Amino acid sequence: MTTEPTHLPLPLSSDWLEWVGERGEQQLALTRSLVEGLRNDPPSEPLEVLRVWNDAQTALSNAASVGSLFSEVHPDPAVRERAESVAQQVQKLDTDLGLDTGLYAVLAGIDASGLDADAARVLERTLRDFHRSGVDRDEAARDRLRELSEREILLSQEFSKNIREDVRSIRVTPDQLAGLPQDWVDAHPVDEDGMVTVTTDYPDVVPFRTFAHDAQARRDLVTQFLSIAWPANDRVLQDLFAARREHAALLGYASWADFDAEVKMIGTGAAIDEFIDRITELSTASAERDKDVLLARLRRDRPEAIDIDGADVAYYSELVRKEDLAVDAQKVRTYFPFEAVRQGLLDVTGRLFGLEWTPVPAEDARTWHEEVATFDVSFGGERIGRIHLDLHPRDGKYKHAAQFDLVRGVAGTQLPEGVLVCNFNRGLMEHDEVVTLFHEFGHLVHHVLAGGTEWVRFSGVATEWDFVEAPSQMLEEWAWDPEVLATFARDAEGETIPAELVRAMRRADDFGKGYDARTQMFYAALSYDFHVRKTDDLTARLRELMGRYSVFPYLEGTHMQCHFGHLDGYSSGYYTYMWSLVIAKDMFSAFDRGDLFDPEVAGAYRDKVLAQGGRRDAADLVEDFLGRPYTFNAYAAWLAE
């Protein structure tokens, strides 16, 4: 199957429905054909057996990428539905392969003694996958596991669709927009009834909850935002958790969390619980100190207040940063026009990793929407991949921020292509959005740099799932450096963002890091608890867990679990964000704060961590880069600052 690697040709605008179906079906058919040959007439050489399996897995990955990406981003609902169908077929075939006793016998019969380290790792991980699929269970159990797997993908798709399509809104009078940036106000015209509509999409809800002076309007919008997809997703979640619990039990695991954690750095479900408690303890003093500051500021406006909740936290955090820490976010955002930020990001990452980003004309890229920007990626004069940046909101599109695969790179076969899917304003950006863009771009860089491996198993962001966020969290640091920001952050008059303002922004950002950590541990506890304990009333249990882990009280009338998308994708493993942050802080300690572009350190990080993909365990990659095992020390020191 080896060909000269090139980019994936995308269709003309009128051909997307047919193309998505054909791409999915062709790659699924190729997978079936390769597997049938492997099962019925396997090569005699162990390495050749693995190479045929690698080709089959590559084809399956290609079909999966089409299904998962275009079900979330294509503007045409018919194309999204066709992509969902492809994703369902991929999941069914993947499940069938994992339960195929004949195929397992071929792979389990390989003599691994002559294999190199990468090939031996492919074999070991593949056999582990078969065991985790239930290939060694009896026929009745295998049939039930097949049913559960198909049910899980349907429920996951329903969960995501309900979030994607439930855009809520409030209507306010023009005077209730007091406090919001003028460009935001200009983009929200008054309707014929003299009212303004504000939606629960991120470009509306984030500025509104941060800047709008009207407390009741903020509360109304945040309540709607925290109730997206309710009540529909409450039932979906109950069904999904039940399916996962039964799935894990059939495979002999005490809980879904134990099943899920087995292939992660953390190892066991119980260790998740311990980690959540450890971070909660580490962050409590900082959390309570900063919450007291927020509450004191709230009481200047509302002397009767005894606590502060999610309707007021963002607004009063911003006030404290502006009044006490001398950072005005509305002033800050004038330095971050979207186009300049996007180009600045490309320049920064190009310099850091030795990459070149070359724009691809729209007529050549032929993407799914006119606002998608495409770039070819080169390293050392050689083209190594392609990226697509889909960064603005539209109807029917994925509502959060994430990197999707379009193609996973395989040496000599196909170049990696990644897609960044976000929902940013087209004008001025909040600095938080700039940080988010750097973060998500970290996944894209990881995907491309690790796309030159022989084995698709190790291609791209193929490390343990609780390490996946570490490279992205580390890249955020470059969005906070005064010298880095000075290369692209300029206001309308061309004035560069002052270094002292950036340092003040960093001090202001550090405000609240303790209560942010406690909030993250609430989310992590929610994701863990829902998967290990049967809960009849999810909202009531959410309220209990929020009382234990968050320092902020439950907001009456909300059902945040229904639009917490990570309950699907991360299942019981939301702790991974904080686990990764611990490692990210440790890896960043290797860089000289005075020279974040040091080519020796940046090159070592690129080659020893990012470019390796999944070829080695994450702990070994980090140890190779740092020269020692990772520790909590850098994270604990940052938290205590």
Side-chain angles (χ1 to χ4, degrees), residues 599-621:
E600 186 174 340
V601 181
Y605 172 64
R606 177 194 64 216
D607 298 339
K608 293 181 177 182
V609 178
L610 298 181
Q612 296 299 315
R615 293 177 62 201
R616 300 173 64 193
D617 289 353
D620 294 333
L621 297 179

Side-chain angles (χ1 to χ4, degrees), residues 333-346:
R333 67 198 295 275
T334 64
Y335 292 101
F336 295 109
F338 170 78
E339 293 290 347
V341 171
R342 190 182 71 181
Q343 186 57 49
L345 170 68
L346 295 172

Side-chain angles (χ1 to χ4, degrees), residues 38 46 49-50 53 102-111 123 126-127 130:
L38 197 55
V49 174
L50 285 180
W53 176 243
L103 177 62
Y104 172 68
V106 170
L107 289 159
I110 289 178
D111 176 5
L123 179 59
T126 299
L127 296 180
F130 272 103

Side-chain angles (χ1 to χ4, degrees), residues 489-506:
R490 295 178 182 84
D491 64 15
E493 285 71 47
E495 293 295 321
T496 299
I497 191 168
E500 184 47 48
L501 175 58
V502 179
R503 285 189 283 270
M505 287 160 53
R506 191 64 195 252

Side-chain angles (χ1 to χ4, degrees), residues 162-183:
N162 288 340
I163 296 171
R164 196 167 63 235
E165 297 186 352
D166 186 18
V167 180
R168 302 189 177 202
S169 62
I170 63 170
R171 299 177 78 226
V172 298
T173 58
D175 62 303
Q176 288 178 292
L177 302 182
L180 283 151
Q182 189 58 48
D183 61 309

Side-chain angles (χ1 to χ4, degrees), residues 187-473:
H188 292 73
V190 178
D191 64 23
E192 58 189 16
D193 296 327
M195 304 293 284
V196 177
T197 298
V198 185
T199 74
T200 53
D201 280 348
Y202 281 109
D204 275 10
V205 76
V206 172
F208 200 89
R209 72 194 297 182
T210 306
F211 300 122
H213 295 331
D214 191 301
Q216 188 58 52
R218 286 200 313 271
R219 185 164 298 273
D220 291 345
L221 184 62
V222 171
T223 300
Q224 289 297 320
F225 177 71
L226 293 177
S227 298
I228 289 171
W230 184 83
N233 270 351
D234 214 63
R235 175 196 58 80
V236 176
L237 284 173
Q238 289 284 21
D239 292 347
L240 183 59
F241 298 149
R244 286 172 173 169
R245 280 193 295 269
E246 184 182 352
H247 191 141
L250 274 173
L251 292 170
Y253 293 87
S255 72
W256 176 268
D258 282 312
F259 167 72
D260 191 57
E262 181 184 42
V263 292
K264 295 182 169 64
M265 295 179 77
I266 205 162
T268 68
I272 297 174
D273 214 12
E274 293 167 7
F275 177 75
I276 291 170
D277 287 343
R278 182 174 185 181
I279 297 296
T280 299
E281 183 180 352
L282 273 175
S283 57
T284 292
S286 171
E288 291 177 347
R289 178 189 67 226
D290 287 351
K291 182 190 174 180
D292 286 345
V293 174
L294 288 188
L295 187 55
R297 179 60 187 84
L298 171 64
R299 284 176 175 153
R300 283 165 51 190
D301 294 342
R302 281 180 249 160
E304 75 283 3
I306 58 172
D307 210 337
I308 183 168
D309 63 25
D312 290 320
V313 168
Y315 179 77
Y316 282 95
S317 294
E318 173 57 26
L319 273 187
V320 168
R321 291 181 177 112
K322 182 178 179 179
E323 295 172 353
D324 298 353
L325 301 169
V327 175
D328 180 351
Q330 294 201 40
K331 170 66 175 173
V332 170
R333 67 198 295 275
T334 64
Y335 292 101
F336 295 109
F338 170 78
E339 293 290 347
V341 171
R342 190 182 71 181
Q343 186 57 49
L345 170 68
L346 295 172
D347 293 342
V348 167
T349 51
R351 179 181 170 193
L352 183 63
F353 298 118
L355 300 172
E356 184 178 349
W357 314 97
T358 304
V360 179
E363 60 270 20
D364 295 334
R366 299 200 304 207
T367 57
W368 50 97
H369 193 272
E370 62 185 9
E371 288 190 313
V372 178
T374 300
F375 299 83
D376 280 332
V377 190
S378 300
F379 178 70
E382 178 185 353
R383 190 162 66 123
I384 61 168
R386 175 171 281 194
I387 62 169
H388 307 273
L389 306 180
D390 187 350
L391 302 180
H392 304 303
R394 58 180 177 270
D395 289 344
K397 180 186 165 185
Y398 183 78
K399 296 300 179 190
H400 305 292
Q403 182 257 319
F404 289 80
D405 299 345
L406 179 55
V407 178
R408 292 177 71 185
V410 179
T413 301
Q414 55 190 36
L415 289 175
E417 291 192 52
V419 182
L420 204 55
V421 181
C422 300
N423 289 275
F424 299 127
N425 285 306
R426 294 167 179 83
L428 299 175
M429 298 177 71
E430 314 292 337
H431 183 254
D432 282 352
E433 293 180 310
V434 177
V435 174
T436 297
L437 181 56
F438 270 71
H439 173 102
E440 297 299 342
F441 202 81
H443 292 304
L444 206 55
V445 170
H446 198 177
H447 174 73
V448 172
L449 283 174
T453 174
E454 176 184 1
W455 304 101
V456 71
R457 175 70 189 237
F458 305 143
S459 178
V461 185
T463 63
E464 294 99 315
W465 201 245
D466 41 6
F467 180 71
V468 161
E469 298 296 332
S472 292
Q473 289 165 329

